């Protein structure tokens, strides 16, 4: 199976033999205008695109993912939203909750935050490639549902020995995820290592349909 670089809504660790976790700073007060989606029956549909070295996108028809909130579960005394569906066209299941502005999984690992300043969340080093995961600056992005202000996370990928990470000569590359208030994740970026290094390409999902249950 091809190895894949990714920073997803699950904060999946890939290529990682060594992992250094950095604890978040004390959270700021929650933004009252933000709404973390928690209602059972809400769902999101994503189309996937191949992105070449110049930024051109080509639809990948075989990759179309749907994620649903199927209920709530109490884990270690805390209530988590239970998600099921597909990611990269493969089955997936996970649990998330809002912890004072940090959206975390059952291990307390941060998926994203809408109250934090930019910060390093975790670092991965397998002796070959660095993958540093960050909470980034908020950005205004274009979506199928108009222009939106999004919280961001990204994985910055570089070579341990300091050489270019791909054939285009880039010393580092960022793969972004986007999260919009009251809407949820609107897209993620990932890459197969071989294509990423040889062709400077990546894969990008875009939210194409959604439903937020009352």
């Amino acid at each position: 199976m091809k190895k894949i670089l990714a920073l997803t809504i699950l904060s999946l660790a890939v290529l990682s033999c060594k992992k250094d976790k950095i604890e978040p700073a004390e959270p700021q007060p929650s933004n009252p205008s933000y709404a973390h989606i928690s209602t059972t029956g809400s769902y999101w549909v994503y189309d996937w695109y191949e992105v070449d070295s110049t930024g051109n996108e080509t639809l990948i028809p075989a990759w179309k993912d749907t994620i649903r909130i199927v209920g709530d579960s109490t884990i270690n005394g805390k209530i988590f939203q239970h998600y099921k569906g597909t990611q990269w066209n493969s089955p997936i299941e996970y649990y998330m909750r809002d912890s004072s502005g940090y959206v975390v999984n059952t291990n307390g690992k941060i998926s994203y935050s809408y109250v934090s300043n930019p910060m390093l969340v975790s670092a991965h080093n397998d002796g070959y490639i660095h993958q540093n995961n960050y909470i980034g600056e908020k950005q205004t992005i274009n979506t199928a549902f108009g222009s939106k202000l999004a919280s961001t996370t990204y994985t910055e990928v570089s070579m341990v020995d300091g050489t270019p990470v791909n054939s285009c000569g880039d010393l580092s590359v960022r793969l972004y995820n986007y999260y919009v208030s009251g809407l949820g994740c609107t897209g993620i970026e990932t890459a197969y290592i071989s294509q990423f290094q040889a062709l400077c390409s990546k894969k990008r999902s875009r939210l194409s349909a959604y439903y937020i249950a009352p």
Side-chain angles (χ1 to χ4, degrees):
M1 175 179 285
K2 295 180 179 178
K3 289 185 178 178
I4 194 165
L5 294 166
L7 177 66
T8 74
I9 55 176
L10 289 182
S11 299
L12 296 177
V14 287
L15 297 177
S16 176
C17 295
K18 185 194 309 185
K19 175 179 173 182
D20 301 316
K21 185 175 180 180
I22 292 133
E23 296 296 332
E26 185 69 21
Q28 304 168 20
S30 295
N31 181 346
S33 68
Y34 190 92
H36 167 64
I37 308 303
S38 60
T39 48
T40 299
S42 299
Y43 66 82
W44 298 262
V45 180
Y46 300 92
D47 293 324
W48 280 91
Y49 298 83
E50 189 77 40
V51 185
D52 67 18
S53 60
T54 63
N56 293 320
E57 296 182 343
T58 302
L59 181 67
I60 307 173
W63 282 22
K64 192 176 187 73
D65 290 333
T66 300
I67 298 287
R68 299 178 183 274
I69 298 179
V70 297
D72 292 334
S73 295
T74 301
I75 302 172
N76 296 326
K78 300 184 184 300
I79 298 174
F80 288 81
Q81 282 69 60
H82 182 188
Y83 296 78
K84 292 184 74 173
T86 57
Q87 189 170 70
W88 310 319
N89 214 32
S90 298
I92 196 168
E93 182 174 5
Y94 58 95
Y95 301 84
M96 304 293 289
R97 72 181 183 92
D98 186 342
S99 176
S100 300
Y102 292 86
V103 180
V104 301
N105 67 11
T106 54
N107 295 320
K109 186 172 179 60
I110 298 170
S111 174
Y112 69 97
S113 172
Y114 52 88
V115 297
S116 176
N117 292 322
M119 60 180 285
L120 178 66
V121 175
S122 63
H124 306 274
N125 177 353
D126 67 353
Y128 176 61
I129 287 180
H130 282 302
Q131 289 188 83
N132 292 335
N133 298 326
Y134 294 87
I135 293 171
E137 299 276 0
K138 288 183 171 60
Q139 297 182 20
T140 299
I141 62 171
N142 293 321
T143 76
F145 312 99
S147 179
K148 304 289 185 181
L149 180 65
S151 296
T152 69
T153 61
Y154 64 89
T155 297
E156 188 166 67
V157 184
S158 61
M159 301 300 294
V160 170
D161 63 8
T163 58
V165 73
N166 58 26
S167 63
C168 294
D170 298 313
L171 293 179
S172 65
V173 173
R174 294 180 178 183
L175 302 173
Y176 276 89
N177 296 346
Y178 301 96
Y179 307 89
V180 172
S181 172
L183 182 57
C185 179
T186 60
I188 67 174
E189 295 182 336
T190 189
Y192 286 123
I193 295 174
S194 58
Q195 294 174 343
F196 174 80
Q197 292 186 313
L199 303 176
C200 312
S201 66
K202 60 187 175 183
K203 290 175 171 56
R204 177 182 294 147
S205 70
R206 292 188 180 278
L207 183 67
S208 58
Y210 72 95
Y211 170 71
I212 306 301

